[in-house]
Amino acid sequence: MAPVGGTAVQDHVALAEIELCGDLIIAASAAEDRLSLESIDEVLKVAEERDASGG
């Protein structure tokens, strides 16, 4: 049961992970075959994160 009074706590890391999982599920359901590692990286924006961190 949720506490009364609007004391909701948000875990931003957990919410981001849930969003990424949802993105993967959508991509997998739209694909005709298994997702390649490159496709997974694209969905998760791995290259963009690498570029942003300078690596």
Side-chain angles (χ1 to χ4, degrees):
M1 183 157 196
V4 178
T7 58
V9 176
Q10 290 188 0
D11 184 340
H12 297 285
V13 174
L15 292 174
E17 289 179 359
I18 291 167
E19 184 175 352
L20 290 173
C21 287
D23 292 344
L24 278 174
I25 291 168
I26 291 167
S29 67
E32 292 181 14
D33 202 6
R34 289 182 169 200
L35 292 176
S36 66
L37 293 178
E38 292 80 17
S39 296
I40 293 170
D41 286 350
E42 185 178 327
V43 170
L44 298 178
K45 300 177 178 80
V46 172
E48 292 175 20
E49 288 296 320
R50 236 184 256 135
D51 292 343
S53 67

